[in-house]
mmCIF file of all heavy atoms in Angstrom:
data_model
loop_
_atom_site.group_PDB
_atom_site.id
_atom_site.type_symbol
_atom_site.label_atom_id
_atom_site.label_comp_id
_atom_site.label_asym_id
_atom_site.label_seq_id
_atom_site.Cartn_x
_atom_site.Cartn_y
_atom_site.Cartn_z
ATOM 1 N N ILE A 126 14.719 20.098 32.997
ATOM 2 C CA ILE A 126 15.664 21.220 33.095
ATOM 3 C C ILE A 126 17.055 20.678 32.900
ATOM 4 O O ILE A 126 17.471 19.691 33.530
ATOM 5 C CB ILE A 126 15.562 21.903 34.498
ATOM 6 C CG1 ILE A 126 14.106 22.338 34.750
ATOM 7 C CG2 ILE A 126 16.510 23.073 34.572
ATOM 8 C CD1 ILE A 126 13.540 23.319 33.753
ATOM 9 N N ASP A 134 19.507 19.044 35.341
ATOM 10 C CA ASP A 134 19.933 19.956 36.388
ATOM 11 C C ASP A 134 18.708 20.393 37.201
ATOM 12 O O ASP A 134 18.195 21.517 37.016
ATOM 13 C CB ASP A 134 20.650 21.164 35.793
ATOM 14 C CG ASP A 134 21.313 22.026 36.837
ATOM 15 O OD1 ASP A 134 21.332 21.632 38.030
ATOM 16 O OD2 ASP A 134 21.823 23.093 36.488
ATOM 17 N N PRO A 135 18.207 19.529 38.073
ATOM 18 C CA PRO A 135 16.944 19.825 38.804
ATOM 19 C C PRO A 135 17.127 20.811 39.941
ATOM 20 O O PRO A 135 16.174 21.179 40.607
ATOM 21 C CB PRO A 135 16.550 18.460 39.337
ATOM 22 C CG PRO A 135 17.875 17.725 39.507
ATOM 23 C CD PRO A 135 18.758 18.196 38.399
ATOM 24 N N GLY A 136 18.359 21.305 40.186
ATOM 25 C CA GLY A 136 18.581 22.184 41.319
ATOM 26 C C GLY A 136 18.577 23.654 40.988
ATOM 27 O O GLY A 136 18.981 24.472 41.825
ATOM 28 N N THR A 137 18.094 24.058 39.850
ATOM 29 C CA THR A 137 18.087 25.477 39.475
ATOM 30 C C THR A 137 16.836 26.172 39.943
ATOM 31 O O THR A 137 15.904 25.569 40.483
ATOM 32 C CB THR A 137 18.155 25.610 37.925
ATOM 33 O OG1 THR A 137 16.911 25.224 37.365
ATOM 34 C CG2 THR A 137 19.266 24.734 37.358
ATOM 35 N N TRP A 138 16.764 27.486 39.660
ATOM 36 C CA TRP A 138 15.602 28.278 40.014
ATOM 37 C C TRP A 138 14.346 27.841 39.297
ATOM 38 O O TRP A 138 13.220 28.131 39.736
ATOM 39 C CB TRP A 138 15.835 29.766 39.714
ATOM 40 C CG TRP A 138 16.182 30.068 38.286
ATOM 41 C CD1 TRP A 138 17.451 30.182 37.759
ATOM 42 C CD2 TRP A 138 15.291 30.281 37.197
ATOM 43 N NE1 TRP A 138 17.387 30.445 36.399
ATOM 44 C CE2 TRP A 138 16.068 30.524 36.028
ATOM 45 C CE3 TRP A 138 13.905 30.290 37.076
ATOM 46 C CZ2 TRP A 138 15.491 30.766 34.796
ATOM 47 C CZ3 TRP A 138 13.337 30.557 35.823
ATOM 48 C CH2 TRP A 138 14.158 30.786 34.711
ATOM 49 N N ALA A 139 14.520 27.091 38.192
ATOM 50 C CA ALA A 139 13.335 26.661 37.425
ATOM 51 C C ALA A 139 12.754 25.337 37.962
ATOM 52 O O ALA A 139 11.724 24.890 37.440
ATOM 53 C CB ALA A 139 13.719 26.476 35.947
ATOM 54 N N ALA A 140 13.368 24.758 38.968
ATOM 55 C CA ALA A 140 12.848 23.506 39.536
ATOM 56 C C ALA A 140 11.454 23.731 40.072
ATOM 57 O O ALA A 140 11.175 24.704 40.737
ATOM 58 C CB ALA A 140 13.784 23.000 40.649
ATOM 59 N N GLY A 141 10.558 22.813 39.742
ATOM 60 C CA GLY A 141 9.176 22.909 40.227
ATOM 61 C C GLY A 141 8.276 23.680 39.307
ATOM 62 O O GLY A 141 7.040 23.701 39.517
ATOM 63 N N LEU A 142 8.817 24.334 38.272
ATOM 64 C CA LEU A 142 7.979 25.004 37.291
ATOM 65 C C LEU A 142 7.403 24.000 36.296
ATOM 66 O O LEU A 142 7.933 22.905 36.135
ATOM 67 C CB LEU A 142 8.768 26.076 36.536
ATOM 68 C CG LEU A 142 9.313 27.251 37.348
ATOM 69 C CD1 LEU A 142 10.125 28.178 36.434
ATOM 70 C CD2 LEU A 142 8.180 28.024 38.024
ATOM 71 N N PHE A 143 6.338 24.392 35.619
ATOM 72 C CA PHE A 143 5.780 23.598 34.516
ATOM 73 C C PHE A 143 5.374 22.204 34.988
ATOM 74 O O PHE A 143 5.635 21.197 34.330
ATOM 75 C CB PHE A 143 6.782 23.484 33.370
ATOM 76 C CG PHE A 143 7.513 24.774 33.057
ATOM 77 C CD1 PHE A 143 8.899 24.794 33.014
ATOM 78 C CD2 PHE A 143 6.816 25.945 32.811
ATOM 79 C CE1 PHE A 143 9.567 25.956 32.721
ATOM 80 C CE2 PHE A 143 7.491 27.139 32.536
ATOM 81 C CZ PHE A 143 8.879 27.131 32.492
ATOM 82 N N MET A 214 14.536 22.366 28.755
ATOM 83 C CA MET A 214 14.785 23.807 28.905
ATOM 84 C C MET A 214 16.178 23.987 29.520
ATOM 85 O O MET A 214 16.456 23.444 30.599
ATOM 86 C CB MET A 214 13.715 24.456 29.789
ATOM 87 C CG MET A 214 13.936 25.898 30.071
ATOM 88 S SD MET A 214 12.627 26.571 31.169
ATOM 89 C CE MET A 214 13.195 28.243 31.381
ATOM 90 N N ARG A 215 17.009 24.772 28.845
ATOM 91 C CA ARG A 215 18.374 24.940 29.310
ATOM 92 C C ARG A 215 18.479 26.162 30.229
ATOM 93 O O ARG A 215 18.077 27.276 29.876
ATOM 94 C CB ARG A 215 19.327 25.118 28.116
ATOM 95 C CG ARG A 215 20.784 24.896 28.449
ATOM 96 C CD ARG A 215 21.690 25.187 27.264
ATOM 97 N NE ARG A 215 21.365 24.418 26.103
ATOM 98 C CZ ARG A 215 21.836 23.199 25.811
ATOM 99 N NH1 ARG A 215 22.631 22.611 26.659
ATOM 100 N NH2 ARG A 215 21.491 22.595 24.672
ATOM 101 N N ILE A 216 19.107 25.946 31.391
ATOM 102 C CA ILE A 216 19.348 27.025 32.358
ATOM 103 C C ILE A 216 20.860 27.154 32.518
ATOM 104 O O ILE A 216 21.546 26.199 32.922
ATOM 105 C CB ILE A 216 18.706 26.746 33.720
ATOM 106 C CG1 ILE A 216 17.205 26.523 33.589
ATOM 107 C CG2 ILE A 216 19.008 27.860 34.702
ATOM 108 C CD1 ILE A 216 16.426 27.740 33.151
ATOM 109 N N VAL A 217 21.373 28.310 32.143
ATOM 110 C CA VAL A 217 22.836 28.552 32.248
ATOM 111 C C VAL A 217 23.052 29.853 32.982
ATOM 112 O O VAL A 217 22.993 30.953 32.405
ATOM 113 C CB VAL A 217 23.476 28.587 30.842
ATOM 114 C CG1 VAL A 217 25.000 28.755 30.982
ATOM 115 C CG2 VAL A 217 23.155 27.374 30.029
ATOM 116 N N GLY A 218 23.308 29.773 34.282
ATOM 117 C CA GLY A 218 23.621 30.942 35.077
ATOM 118 C C GLY A 218 22.558 32.010 34.926
ATOM 119 O O GLY A 218 21.352 31.763 35.003
ATOM 120 N N ASP A 219 23.000 33.236 34.652
ATOM 121 C CA ASP A 219 22.087 34.370 34.511
ATOM 122 C C ASP A 219 21.821 34.712 33.058
ATOM 123 O O ASP A 219 21.359 35.796 32.746
ATOM 124 C CB ASP A 219 22.615 35.599 35.256
ATOM 125 C CG ASP A 219 23.996 36.036 34.694
ATOM 126 O OD1 ASP A 219 24.524 35.379 33.821
ATOM 127 O OD2 ASP A 219 24.486 37.068 35.218
ATOM 128 N N ARG A 220 22.088 33.769 32.125
ATOM 129 C CA ARG A 220 21.901 34.068 30.696
ATOM 130 C C ARG A 220 20.426 34.042 30.294
ATOM 131 O O ARG A 220 20.061 34.592 29.280
ATOM 132 C CB ARG A 220 22.714 33.107 29.844
ATOM 133 C CG ARG A 220 24.189 33.296 29.942
ATOM 134 C CD ARG A 220 24.949 32.326 29.053
ATOM 135 N NE ARG A 220 24.654 32.545 27.634
ATOM 136 C CZ ARG A 220 25.228 31.851 26.633
ATOM 137 N NH1 ARG A 220 26.131 30.935 26.920
ATOM 138 N NH2 ARG A 220 24.910 32.081 25.391
ATOM 139 N N ASN A 221 19.577 33.355 31.078
ATOM 140 C CA ASN A 221 18.180 33.305 30.762
ATOM 141 C C ASN A 221 17.513 34.626 31.103
ATOM 142 O O ASN A 221 17.750 35.205 32.165
ATOM 143 C CB ASN A 221 17.491 32.175 31.528
ATOM 144 C CG ASN A 221 18.052 30.792 31.139
ATOM 145 O OD1 ASN A 221 19.098 30.429 31.647
ATOM 146 N ND2 ASN A 221 17.339 30.102 30.299
ATOM 147 N N VAL A 222 16.642 35.069 30.195
ATOM 148 C CA VAL A 222 15.963 36.352 30.405
ATOM 149 C C VAL A 222 15.172 36.381 31.701
ATOM 150 O O VAL A 222 15.063 37.413 32.392
ATOM 151 C CB VAL A 222 15.053 36.676 29.199
ATOM 152 C CG1 VAL A 222 14.231 37.931 29.450
ATOM 153 C CG2 VAL A 222 15.885 36.818 27.924
ATOM 154 N N SER A 223 14.611 35.213 32.077
ATOM 155 C CA SER A 223 13.734 35.144 33.245
ATOM 156 C C SER A 223 14.493 34.763 34.510
ATOM 157 O O SER A 223 13.896 34.509 35.535
ATOM 158 C CB SER A 223 12.634 34.109 33.002
ATOM 159 O OG SER A 223 11.827 34.498 31.911
ATOM 160 N N ALA A 224 15.821 34.703 34.455
ATOM 161 C CA ALA A 224 16.585 34.369 35.662
ATOM 162 C C ALA A 224 16.267 35.331 36.785
ATOM 163 O O ALA A 224 16.145 36.535 36.567
ATOM 164 C CB ALA A 224 18.074 34.391 35.356
ATOM 165 N N PRO A 225 16.073 34.811 37.990
ATOM 166 C CA PRO A 225 15.618 35.663 39.109
ATOM 167 C C PRO A 225 16.614 36.773 39.434
ATOM 168 O O PRO A 225 17.832 36.603 39.477
ATOM 169 C CB PRO A 225 15.507 34.692 40.287
ATOM 170 C CG PRO A 225 15.399 33.328 39.679
ATOM 171 C CD PRO A 225 16.191 33.404 38.402
#
Side-chain angles (χ1 to χ4, degrees):
I126 305 300
D134 190 6
T137 72
W138 57 266
L142 296 179
F143 318 126
M214 177 181 177
R215 197 185 303 272
I216 303 295
V217 184
D219 60 357
R220 291 182 63 178
N221 297 80
V222 174
S223 298

